[in-house]
């Protein structure tokens, strides 16, 4: 035993030690410069949002706020446009879209990873291939389909497609599930659970990081979606905030500057919820290790 331990100890001593990264003043200086460059547009938006109407008409904006008209955040709801309704519509569309994507992506991805069926791999390749189709190509056929269904000027074209998942989310779930031990399914089958029972009681809790990540991705897309509502919605009472903000620029008289301070307030209302959602869900994004699948069993 002593003769075997000696070579092992020598190899351990010869192994190079991993050095911890130590930040230098140059590192912090570089990070500060990059952070300043990235946050300057956000600060500028806040400066315009807090500006007075006289500053807007004169166009004398500054990056650092010189005025603090906090009443602009309440004035935006008092315009002739139903900004409060815009905000509520965005919440409804986004929440239902997130629910649809999470439910459908989890089930479809689990099926591709665990179920055995002839042609499953070919079908999965077809699903992945749809990611290469530009969205602009399917706009007109989708509009004709939803028009024939009578869904134009309703929330249905913006919500219902999310209950059929998409290729990227299916790929995420499939890769995550394929790395989880199959013995979990076999043990559950021996206890009498079917595929849906296994997914609901075992896989669904373990898929929490990737499903929350899918929810964040979907919420980010639908909350700021401009093209979809522009195509399918006609009434102002049904428009989301992303489309309603554009309408605020058209409320001024001819020859008069748009109320950019109120427009920027609407932009902040669009940005702040996404910042909060990312701050609360960033740990799940970091845990979403699709290469090893270890996040689900932590």
């Amino acid at each position: 035993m002593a003769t075997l331990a000696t070579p092992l100890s020598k190899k351990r001593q010869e192994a190079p030690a991993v050095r911890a990264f130590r930040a230098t003043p140059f590192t912090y200086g570089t990070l500060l410069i990059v952070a300043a460059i990235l946050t300057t547009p956000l600060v500028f938006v806040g400066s315009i949002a807090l500006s007075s109407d006289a500053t807007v008409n004169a166009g004398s904006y500054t990056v650092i706020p010189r005025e603090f008209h906090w009443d602009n955040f309440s004035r935006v709801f008092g315009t002739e446009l139903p900004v409060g309704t815009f905000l509520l519509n965005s919440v409804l569309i986004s929440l239902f879209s997130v629910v649809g994507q999470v439910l459908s992506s989890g089930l479809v991805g689990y099926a591709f990873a665990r179920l055995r069926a002839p042609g499953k791999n070919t079908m999965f390749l077809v699903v992945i291939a749809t990611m290469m189709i530009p969205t602009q190509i399917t706009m007109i056929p989708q509009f004709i389909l939803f028009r024939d269904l009578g869904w134009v000027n309703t929330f249905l074209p913006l919500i219902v497609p999310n209950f059929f998942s998409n290729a990227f989310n299916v790929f995420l779930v499939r890769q995550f599930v394929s790395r989880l031990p199959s013995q979990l399914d076999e043990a559950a089958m021996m206890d009498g659970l079917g595929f849906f029972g296994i997914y609901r009681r075992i896989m669904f809790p373990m898929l929490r990081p990737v499903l929350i990540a899918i929810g964040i991705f979907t919420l980010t897309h639908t909350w700021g979606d401009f093209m979809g509502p522009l195509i399918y919605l006609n009434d102002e009472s049904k428009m989301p905030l992303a489309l309603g903000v554009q309408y605020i620029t058209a409320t001024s008289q001819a020859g008069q500057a748009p109320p950019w301070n109120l427009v920027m307030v609407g932009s902040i209302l669009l940005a702040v919820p996404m910042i909060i959602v990312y701050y609360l869900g960033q740990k799940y994004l970091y845990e979403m290790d699709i290469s090893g699948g270890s996040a689900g069993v932590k």
Side-chain angles (χ1 to χ4, degrees):
M1 296 296 293
T3 56
L4 294 176
T6 302
L8 292 175
S9 60
K10 289 182 178 180
K11 289 182 179 180
R12 291 177 181 175
Q13 293 176 359
E14 294 175 358
V18 179
R19 293 184 179 181
F21 176 77
R22 293 183 179 181
T24 62
F26 176 77
T27 304
Y28 288 112
T30 304
L31 292 176
L32 287 175
I33 294 174
V34 173
I37 294 174
L38 295 178
T39 57
T40 296
L42 297 178
V43 176
F44 193 34
V45 168
S47 177
I48 298 176
L50 296 174
S51 300
S52 62
D53 293 339
T55 302
V56 172
N57 293 330
S60 56
Y61 307 116
T62 58
V63 177
I64 304 300
R66 294 182 302 179
E67 301 173 309
F68 297 91
H69 292 271
W70 298 102
D71 58 316
N72 290 341
F73 287 87
S74 58
R75 285 179 54 204
V76 72
F77 293 97
T79 60
E80 59 186 24
L81 293 173
V83 178
T85 303
F86 293 161
L87 186 60
L88 179 61
N89 293 339
S90 294
V91 172
L92 292 176
I93 295 173
S94 300
L95 289 181
F96 280 107
S97 299
V98 168
V99 172
Q101 280 290 344
V102 169
L103 293 178
S104 59
S105 299
L107 288 172
V108 176
Y110 170 72
F112 275 119
R114 286 292 194 259
L115 299 186
R116 298 178 181 177
K120 181 187 69 173
N121 294 331
T122 302
M123 188 179 300
F124 180 71
L125 292 177
V126 172
V127 172
I128 296 299
T130 59
M131 297 174 62
M132 297 184 292
I133 301 176
T135 306
Q136 292 78 6
I137 293 179
T138 60
M139 279 184 179
I140 295 178
Q142 283 183 349
F143 179 82
I144 295 174
L145 174 63
F146 293 140
R147 183 198 61 187
D148 295 341
L149 292 174
W151 288 4
V152 176
N153 202 29
T154 66
F155 292 158
L156 295 178
L158 307 175
I159 295 176
V160 173
N162 290 290
F163 281 84
F164 295 90
S165 186
N166 63 52
F168 179 72
N169 294 338
V170 170
F171 173 78
L172 288 180
V173 177
R174 191 255 187 188
Q175 293 300 104
F176 195 96
V177 175
S178 63
R179 295 296 186 264
L180 296 177
S182 59
Q183 290 81 359
L184 295 173
D185 302 59
E186 297 171 358
M189 289 180 181
M190 294 179 64
D191 290 338
L193 289 179
F195 286 108
F196 184 77
I198 294 173
Y199 174 79
R200 182 172 60 89
R201 297 189 179 185
I202 299 177
M203 289 297 169
F204 187 80
M206 299 176 70
L207 288 173
R208 184 177 62 174
V210 68
L211 292 180
I212 291 178
I214 289 174
I216 294 175
F217 297 153
T218 305
L219 182 63
T220 303
H221 171 72
T222 56
W223 183 263
D225 186 21
F226 178 85
M227 186 60 65
L230 180 64
I231 294 175
Y232 296 110
L233 299 179
N234 300 322
D235 298 340
E236 288 185 355
S237 60
K238 298 178 181 179
M239 293 179 181
L241 185 60
L243 183 59
V245 169
Q246 191 272 340
Y247 275 73
I248 298 178
T249 62
T251 57
S252 59
Q253 300 177 357
Q256 184 180 0
W260 292 116
N261 49 356
L262 301 184
V263 173
M264 294 306 162
V265 169
S267 300
I268 291 176
L269 294 178
L270 278 172
V272 170
M274 294 299 97
I275 295 175
I276 296 175
V277 167
Y278 178 78
Y279 176 77
L280 297 177
Q282 60 180 333
K283 64 177 181 179
Y284 298 104
L285 294 176
Y286 298 148
E287 289 180 3
M288 190 188 62
D289 182 12
I290 63 174
S291 62
S294 59
V297 293
K298 286 182 179 179

